[in-house]
Amino acid sequence: MNFSEHLLQLRKSKGLTQTDLALEIGVSWRAYQTYERGQRDPSLPTLIALADFYNLSLDELVCRKR
């Protein structure tokens, strides 16, 4: 699973819309949409906000495996 697919899966598991999640992490709906589509990578502060929201490490969030 790649990062954008993971974002989609996480959001749907919480029953949130893209707009709901964008408001929670402080970005626009359009910006968030580009992350789920894999068109753009979020900034580090946005990645941290996402990891905090989902209570995940950054490695877990971005599907990093060692």
Side-chain angles (χ1 to χ4, degrees):
M1 176 181 317
N2 65 34
F3 174 63
S4 59
E5 292 168 339
H6 194 215
L7 280 182
L8 175 64
Q9 179 185 40
L10 287 167
R11 179 178 59 78
K12 287 191 172 194
S13 74
K14 295 277 189 183
L16 298 170
T17 67
Q18 289 180 337
T19 302
D20 294 335
L21 188 53
L23 288 170
E24 287 288 334
I25 63 169
V27 299
S28 71
W29 163 75
R30 288 264 189 225
Y32 182 79
Q33 184 181 54
T34 64
Y35 309 149
E36 274 193 13
R37 289 182 176 178
Q39 296 169 332
R40 194 171 112 191
D41 292 325
S43 66
L44 182 57
T46 301
L47 285 171
I48 292 169
L50 283 162
D52 288 348
F53 179 79
Y54 289 119
N55 196 31
L56 298 171
S57 71
L58 288 174
D59 283 344
E60 291 169 322
L61 179 68
V62 299
C63 306
R64 182 173 182 252
K65 296 183 172 110
R66 291 184 168 215

